[in-house]
Amino acid sequence: NVGVKPTISNKGVPNVEIHLFSFNNCEKCDLISVEFIKFIRDERKFSSLDELKKQIQKDCKEAF
């Protein structure tokens, strides 16, 4: 997610969140590069955290 997390916060501070698929903890990893490949959906405010979690699961299936 690149945006302001409207369901979680009303501060409007932009940030970037990523999901790492099949990531094994790397003790020597100092830097992770992120590349945007596909736009999945616009950011929106969900009515509950459960609704947001369900949407994130759908987003992960589409991304993976």
Side-chain angles (χ1 to χ4, degrees), residues 1-8 12-19 33-46 52 56 59:
N1 177 53
V2 177
V4 297
K5 302 191 306 184
T7 304
I8 305 297
V13 178
N15 64 32
V16 176
E17 295 177 314
I18 61 172
H19 283 260
S33 296
V34 177
E35 180 180 354
F36 296 100
I37 297 174
K38 177 180 165 184
F39 181 83
I40 296 176
R41 65 174 172 84
D42 288 323
E43 184 174 51
R44 70 181 182 99
K45 184 173 183 172
F46 292 90
L52 171 60
I56 290 172
D59 295 345

Side-chain angles (χ1 to χ4, degrees), residues 9-27:
S9 173
N10 62 0
K11 294 178 183 177
V13 178
N15 64 32
V16 176
E17 295 177 314
I18 61 172
H19 283 260
L20 302 174
F21 300 105
S22 303
F23 180 77
N24 294 323
N25 190 8
C26 180
E27 294 177 12

